[in-house]
Amino acid sequence: MHRLLAAALTAAAAAALAVGAALGIVAMLDATPEQPNVPLVNFGTAPPPVSGTSEDAPAAGG
């Protein structure tokens, strides 16, 4: 009977410890501040197109 009682108490203690650890982890995750969503690299705006490219030239032989 003593072994059964010891096994039940051990199982109850393990369950309580697991629940406590889970609640502690959740509390720790909720306590961390929200990180800003700022990109590390900023390319800015695209430069203006260069005039005089081959797209602007008239077709050859035309």
Side-chain angles (χ1 to χ4, degrees):
M1 185 67 183
H2 293 290
R3 286 186 179 181
L4 184 60
L5 180 63
L9 288 176
T10 302
L17 184 63
V19 169
L23 291 176
I25 289 171
V26 168
M28 189 173 19
L29 289 174
D30 284 341
T32 57
E34 189 68 28
Q35 298 296 320
N37 188 12
V38 178
L40 295 176
V41 178
N42 188 3
F43 293 104
T45 59
V50 179
S51 61
T53 60
S54 60
E55 296 172 359
D56 297 334

